[in-house]
């Protein structure tokens, strides 16, 4: 809800300022101020009322969400370890809201890490490849990745450091070494030193999209990173904003990626809404149970994850 307010209020306030500017330029500075000025003042008052209404609604909806969320999420991920990874541009508030929802669902969140902009920068590929190649030489259990792209291998390294599979969730010497190398190269920043790894993964995306070559290259890199993470985890969900489902956005690209079909990967494109973190929890649980999907607002219709749809009836 905080993210939603940050998205809506600046737009409305901008509209309000624009309307006031028109009133000043088209009213007192013009000879025919009369009816036009009155109309613009009425429009400005209406915009002010809308802002007031949205602020009040936001406060109420946040209170309702806080009251309902514990009951809605209880038991969905009990006993599960979840690694939370944030792509560049994701706000601290989005990370905190997601972490809180996971904990309300009974999950342990042993790793919270941010992937650096350098890792996704197409212009830094040579540097990233050198770091990845060096780290792989000390990870004999990842020898099968030699034919993969730089960024699939990078995703697999991130998984080896911070993500486990099945009962293998301990932090061993190899994971510690890779963590030190990735952080030393400033490709990853992690909170503290984890003592275990999550076997489920949440990837948060900021929602960037576009048709320019740089953005397209970033999306290819992000997809490859996620492919590597999928191979090294039990289930994964990508949470982002509605813009991520637009052409050139990460979720748009993931939904069209045939290599991920049948994998335990879900997406949610409303993570910045009041119900977004809850939807993300249910989407992750769906992926883990073998029923992954793409959830949120799709083609102007709400698509709820399994379990959440039943509870909403």
């Amino acid at each position: 809800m905080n993210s939603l307010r940050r998205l809506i209020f600046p737009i409305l306030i901008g509209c309000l300022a624009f309307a006031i500017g028109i009133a000043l330029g088209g009213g007192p500075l013009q000879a025919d101020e009369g009816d036009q000025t009155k109309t613009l003042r009425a429009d400005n008052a209406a915009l002010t009322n809308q802002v007031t209404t949205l602020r009040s609604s936001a406060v109420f909806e946040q209170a309702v969400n806080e009251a309902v969320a514990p009951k809605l999420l209880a038991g969905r991920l009990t006993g599960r370890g979840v690694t939370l990874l944030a792509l560049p541009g994701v706000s601290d508030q989005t990370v905190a809201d997601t972490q809180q929802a996971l904990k309300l669902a009974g999950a342990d969140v042993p790793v919270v890490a941010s992937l650096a902009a350098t890792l996704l920068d197409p212009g830094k590929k040579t540097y990233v490849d050198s770091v990845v190649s060096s780290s792989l030489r000390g990870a004999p259990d990842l020898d099968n990745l030699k034919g993969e792209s730089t960024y699939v291998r990078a995703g697999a390294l991130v998984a080896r450091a911070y993500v486990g599979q099945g009962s293998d969730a301990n932090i061993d010497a190899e994971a510690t070494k890779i963590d030190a190398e990735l952080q030393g190269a400033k490709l990853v920043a992690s909170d503290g030193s984890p003592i275990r790894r999550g076997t489920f993964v949440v990837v948060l995306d900021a929602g960037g999209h576009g048709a320019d070559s740089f953005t397209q290259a970033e999306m290819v890199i992000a997809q490859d990173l996620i492919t590597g993470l999928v191979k090294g985890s039990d289930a994964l969900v990508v949470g982002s904003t509605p813009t991520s489902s637009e052409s050139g956005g990460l979720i748009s690209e993931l939904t069209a990626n045939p290599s991920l079909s049948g994998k335990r990967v879900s997406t949610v494109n409303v993570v910045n809404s009041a119900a977004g973190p809850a939807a993300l929890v249910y989407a992750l649980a769906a992926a883990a149970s073998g029923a992954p999907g793409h959830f949120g607002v799709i083609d102007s219709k709400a698509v709820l994850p399994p379990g959440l749809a039943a509870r909403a009836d």
Side-chain angles (χ1 to χ4, degrees), residues 1 5 9 50-64:
M1 177 45 56
R5 291 203 301 271
F9 294 158
Q50 287 181 44
V51 171
T52 301
T53 299
L54 281 169
R55 284 175 175 159
S56 297
S57 297
V59 171
F60 183 76
E61 289 173 10
Q62 183 176 9
V64 171

Side-chain angles (χ1 to χ4, degrees), residues 107-124:
D108 179 33
V109 187
V111 179
V112 179
S114 299
L115 305 187
T118 300
L119 182 57
L120 280 84
D121 186 343
K124 304 293 185 181

Side-chain angles (χ1 to χ4, degrees), residues 12-217:
L12 287 177
I13 292 169
C15 290
L16 179 59
F18 180 67
I20 292 172
I22 293 174
L24 291 174
L29 300 181
Q30 300 295 325
D32 59 346
E33 64 176 49
D35 292 339
Q36 185 180 7
T37 300
K38 290 180 181 179
T39 300
L40 289 173
R41 284 175 178 168
D43 290 343
N44 292 342
L47 284 171
T48 300
N49 289 339
Q50 287 181 44
V51 171
T52 301
T53 299
L54 281 169
R55 284 175 175 159
S56 297
S57 297
V59 171
F60 183 76
E61 289 173 10
Q62 183 176 9
V64 171
N65 188 55
E66 290 174 354
V68 172
K71 296 178 182 178
L72 190 66
L73 296 174
R76 301 309 300 179
L77 296 172
T78 298
R80 300 293 189 177
V82 181
T83 291
L84 177 56
L85 302 174
L87 295 179
V90 174
S91 71
D92 292 343
Q93 187 62 54
T94 298
V95 173
D97 290 345
T98 302
Q99 189 172 3
Q100 181 184 28
L102 291 167
K103 290 182 176 180
L104 286 173
D108 179 33
V109 187
V111 179
V112 179
S114 299
L115 305 187
T118 300
L119 182 57
L120 280 84
D121 186 343
K124 304 293 185 181
K125 182 178 179 180
T126 300
Y127 172 69
V128 172
D129 187 74
S130 68
V131 174
V132 169
S133 297
S134 175
S135 294
L136 282 173
R137 284 194 287 271
D141 53 336
L142 298 179
D143 284 343
N144 61 325
L145 296 170
K146 288 182 178 178
E148 298 286 0
S149 75
T150 295
Y151 295 102
V152 170
R153 291 184 292 140
L157 277 172
V158 172
R160 185 63 183 83
Y162 308 113
V163 184
Q165 287 183 297
S167 59
D168 182 17
N170 293 326
I171 297 289
D172 57 11
E174 185 174 308
T176 300
K177 177 178 178 294
I178 295 172
D179 169 45
E181 290 171 344
L182 292 175
Q183 294 207 59
K186 299 189 183 304
L187 297 182
V188 176
S190 176
D191 289 352
S193 299
I195 58 174
R196 57 191 174 281
R197 299 171 292 170
T199 58
F200 291 178
V201 180
V202 171
V203 177
L204 296 176
D205 168 57
H209 67 101
D212 62 281
S213 59
F214 186 86
T215 301
Q216 289 180 331

